[in-house]
Amino acid sequence: MFVRKKKNKSGVVSVQIIDKSSGKYKMVKTIGSSSDPAEIDILYNQGLDYIEHYQGQQTFDFSTQDFNQTIKQSIQKIYINGIHLLLGKIYTEIGFDKVCDDLLKQLVLVRLSHPASKLRTTHYLRRYFSVNINEDRIYRYLDKIYTSHRETLQQISYNHTKRVLGGIVSIVFYDVTTIYFQIDDEDEVRKRGFSKEGRHQNPQIVLGLLVGLEGYPLAYEIHEGNKFEGHTMLPIIDAFKAKYELDKLIVIADSGLLSSSNVKELQEKGYEFILGARIKNESASVKHKILSLKLDDKTSAIIKKEDGTRLIVGYTDRRAKKDKHNRDRGLMKLEQKVKSGKMTKSSINNRGYNKYLKLEGEINISIDHEKFADDAAWDGLKGYLTNTTLSKDEIISNYGQLWKIEKAFRVSKHDLKIRPIYHRLHKRIEAHITINFVAYKVYKELERLLKLKNNKISCEQAIEIAKSIYAVEFTDPTNGNTYKETLLLSEEQNQLAELFEF
């Protein structure tokens, strides 16, 4: 058995354990891969260490011995191995195994393959991965993540993202979401506030996420559930810039984080920014300029503001059709409510399409169709506020990547099932978020590698295939040796193994 350095077509070197005991070269394990000579040396030494401590478990060649009834009775365990071979390999390549703790890796991988509560996680680990861990140990380990690993894991993620982006992190995207708890009582962090999920009756936390280009996660922060999202942005960006000693950052965020105080503070601290603009809230003179532009499909214009910033206004036919559709649907719902006679004075507000309502006399509520018609002039228009020197096309293109942070929240909430959270203590809530942060980083790297390998399967499909790859361990009664064999039984399993070299 020896360590081999195999150079791939992409230029990346894979460090592998090779066995030639049967006369043929057979890959036992891939330690990792990198293009950095220093990291390759580290992986090579890890390979030597693996061989030195390799005991008991050998590869059994099913093609050369009869798999008879006696052998079947000697099976020790059967478990899912594809998740470790695929996602565990990516976890290691990112560098998360520098936190030398198998439990962390197991919790991250099972979050990607079988996301569930901590209690159910213990069942999944035992049932599918042959790992016996009780719930109490996981809860105690969450405390360790918070005190010892949280900052290290974010640093590892940042270092990897920086390498992926060519060594430069100069553009960051920020957004927030809310995560509610199915409890009645509030505490120091779980508080009722404006819920993006429409669960205003439930205490919640506010989660702020900072990502780089292509949606690679950089940092996160949790806040009290009643904190205004506009007040969450500057603290996390300031801390991120100071931690990684960055000279220049361009901050991109949507209109929900646009406030005069945020804009002023960003400028005072020397940040460049691209923010979604609320063009209907501009001054009368600026709104007049916007409506006078008469833009064609996929065109834009620049309006200079008195404070030195620029307002970029773009127009697309596609957005105009969507805006009109939403207005028509909103009007139809309002007409149905007015006709039912269930509208009251409390309905007169500026929330959504209620702005089209007006009072006639003391109690007669009707729809202001003139205001509805006036709004049609804004269909298809989108504004971007900036103090950068980028061209208007660059500004619109960069802002267009903001949807990738929305995807991050969607993946976290739905695929990784970040909610529901059953923890009460602040440090355990944050440790739970940390596990999801690491899991999402692995997910994003899987997505990047699939794209790099020009493979059209999705992350979800790759994970599902990996979940179907099992390994069997058994003892040969004739010699007492323990064998392990990964079973690649289908074409898609073999294709995935070939694609990721396991």
Side-chain angles (χ1 to χ4, degrees):
M1 194 174 294
F2 63 94
V3 183
R4 178 176 72 180
K5 298 178 183 178
K6 180 184 177 184
K7 190 170 183 178
N8 304 316
K9 292 180 180 180
S10 63
V12 173
V13 174
S14 295
V15 179
Q16 303 169 334
I17 305 296
I18 304 298
D19 181 21
K20 199 184 176 185
S21 59
S22 63
K24 296 181 181 180
Y25 290 98
K26 182 164 185 176
M27 187 179 71
V28 176
K29 180 181 179 66
T30 297
I31 301 298
S33 60
S34 176
S35 57
D36 185 344
E39 289 193 14
I40 294 172
D41 289 340
I42 293 173
L43 293 172
Y44 185 83
N45 289 329
Q46 289 177 356
L48 294 176
D49 184 67
Y50 176 86
I51 292 174
E52 183 180 347
H53 295 89
Y54 187 80
Q55 297 177 351
Q57 290 185 354
Q58 304 177 37
T59 300
F60 184 87
D61 190 348
F62 284 87
S63 64
T64 60
Q65 293 196 34
D66 292 331
F67 191 54
N68 55 36
Q69 189 64 30
T70 303
I71 296 294
K72 289 181 181 179
Q73 292 173 351
S74 301
I75 291 176
Q76 303 297 315
K77 55 185 175 181
I78 299 175
Y79 56 92
I80 293 175
N81 198 32
I83 293 298
H84 284 273
L85 293 173
L86 175 67
L87 302 179
K89 178 181 178 183
I90 293 173
Y91 178 98
T92 298
E93 289 174 348
I94 291 171
F96 287 129
D97 61 340
K98 292 175 184 176
V99 176
C100 300
D101 204 317
D102 285 341
L103 181 51
L104 173 64
K105 187 174 185 177
Q106 289 160 351
L107 291 176
V108 169
L109 297 190
V110 78
R111 175 59 51 178
L112 284 156
S113 63
H114 298 82
S117 68
K118 299 301 180 291
L119 176 59
R120 189 163 293 180
T121 292
T122 64
H123 298 331
Y124 287 148
L125 284 170
R126 182 172 60 254
R127 183 183 304 160
Y128 298 120
F129 299 97
S130 195
V131 176
N132 290 307
I133 300 172
N134 63 45
E135 189 181 10
D136 288 338
R137 185 185 170 193
I138 291 180
Y139 281 126
R140 291 194 302 271
Y141 186 67
L142 291 177
D143 298 338
K144 183 177 180 180
I145 290 176
Y146 179 81
T147 56
S148 303
H149 299 330
R150 184 168 49 103
E151 293 298 326
T152 302
L153 292 168
Q154 289 195 58
Q155 178 73 57
I156 292 169
S157 177
Y158 171 78
N159 292 342
H160 180 266
T161 295
K162 187 177 179 180
R163 290 199 303 271
V164 168
L165 296 178
I168 299 174
V169 176
S170 59
I171 298 177
V172 297
F173 301 80
Y174 182 74
D175 203 356
V176 300
T177 192
T178 54
I179 302 172
Y180 69 89
F181 294 75
Q182 292 174 310
I183 59 172
D184 295 323
D185 298 329
E186 297 179 310
D187 54 33
E188 70 276 4
V189 65
R190 298 179 296 179
K191 295 183 180 295
R192 292 180 179 85
F194 175 76
S195 172
K196 292 179 179 288
E197 300 166 289
R199 302 296 292 257
H200 305 293
Q201 74 277 17
N202 295 99
Q204 64 179 18
I205 59 172
V206 174
L207 173 63
L209 181 62
L210 199 66
V211 306
L213 290 169
E214 299 301 326
Y216 301 124
L218 296 170
Y220 69 90
E221 194 70 62
I222 65 172
H223 303 274
E224 299 86 351
N226 60 355
K227 189 164 187 176
F228 169 55
E229 64 181 55
H231 295 160
T232 67
M233 181 171 67
L234 267 301
I236 188 173
I237 294 173
D238 287 342
F240 178 78
K241 183 181 179 183
K243 181 177 181 179
Y244 300 113
E245 300 178 349
L246 302 174
D247 295 328
K248 181 181 178 181
L249 275 182
I250 297 177
V251 180
I252 302 178
D254 71 10
S255 58
L257 297 161
L258 177 66
S259 68
S260 57
S261 60
N262 270 348
V263 172
K264 181 180 179 182
E265 195 168 355
L266 283 168
Q267 289 177 308
E268 288 176 347
K269 293 184 175 182
Y271 291 109
E272 294 187 28
F273 57 81
I274 302 172
L275 302 175
R278 297 191 184 102
I279 52 179
K280 293 182 184 179
N281 292 349
E282 292 287 348
S283 64
S285 61
V286 172
K287 286 194 290 186
H288 177 73
K289 290 179 182 179
I290 293 171
L291 295 178
S292 300
L293 292 172
K294 306 299 181 184
L295 297 171
D296 295 322
D297 184 33
K298 297 179 182 178
T299 60
S300 57
I302 300 173
I303 297 175
K304 293 183 179 180
K305 301 188 67 176
E306 293 180 357
D307 61 1
T309 61
R310 295 183 299 157
L311 181 63
I312 314 300
V313 180
Y315 172 87
T316 65
D317 287 339
R318 182 179 178 181
R319 185 183 294 115
K321 291 178 182 178
K322 181 181 178 182
D323 291 343
K324 183 179 185 304
H325 171 75
N326 289 339
R327 281 188 308 103
D328 289 343
R329 186 176 60 178
L331 178 64
M332 181 179 67
K333 289 181 178 180
L334 278 180
E335 287 174 337
Q336 291 173 347
K337 289 182 180 180
V338 171
K339 187 176 181 179
S340 69
K342 296 180 180 179
M343 305 297 288
T344 65
K345 288 184 180 181
S346 63
S347 302
I348 307 298
N349 54 54
N350 285 320
R351 294 177 185 171
Y353 297 102
N354 283 0
K355 62 187 176 182
Y356 299 136
L357 296 173
K358 65 178 181 178
L359 282 175
E360 290 183 348
E362 293 185 2
I363 57 171
N364 189 19
I365 297 175
S366 65
I367 295 175
D368 190 339
H369 286 88
E370 184 177 346
K371 189 173 184 179
F372 174 82
D374 289 342
D375 256 7
W378 298 91
D379 287 354
L381 295 173
K382 172 69 178 176
Y384 315 86
L385 183 69
T386 184
N387 64 343
T388 69
T389 57
L390 298 174
S391 70
K392 60 183 183 181
D393 290 337
E394 289 174 321
I395 290 166
I396 294 174
S397 176
N398 278 308
Y399 186 89
Q401 287 208 35
L402 196 58
W403 69 270
K404 292 179 180 178
I405 197 170
E406 296 171 356
K407 180 184 177 182
F409 286 135
R410 186 169 65 254
V411 169
S412 295
K413 287 186 176 182
H414 299 288
D415 296 324
L416 302 183
K417 292 182 172 59
I418 193 172
R419 204 209 66 76
I421 302 176
Y422 297 102
H423 307 296
R424 177 179 59 84
L425 300 177
H426 181 191
K427 61 182 179 181
R428 289 184 177 174
I429 293 172
E430 186 144 350
H432 174 80
I433 301 294
T434 299
I435 291 172
N436 279 269
F437 177 84
V438 175
Y440 180 68
K441 174 66 179 182
V442 174
Y443 179 97
K444 281 298 297 182
E445 181 62 3
L446 172 62
E447 182 181 73
R448 186 185 76 86
L449 291 174
L450 287 169
K451 184 177 180 181
L452 193 65
K453 296 173 186 290
N454 295 317
N455 196 285
K456 294 183 180 180
I457 67 171
S458 67
C459 290
E460 291 76 13
Q461 289 172 320
I463 292 172
E464 284 301 311
I465 294 170
K467 285 165 64 175
S468 70
I469 298 175
Y470 280 77
V472 58
E473 287 185 14
F474 58 92
T475 301
D476 186 343
T478 63
N479 56 27
N481 289 336
T482 299
Y483 297 92
K484 169 185 173 182
E485 185 72 16
T486 297
L487 307 176
L488 299 174
L489 305 176
S490 69
E491 182 180 352
E492 62 179 12
Q493 290 174 348
N494 280 285
Q495 287 175 347
L496 189 69
E498 182 179 354
L499 191 64
F500 286 92
E501 299 179 346
F502 61 77

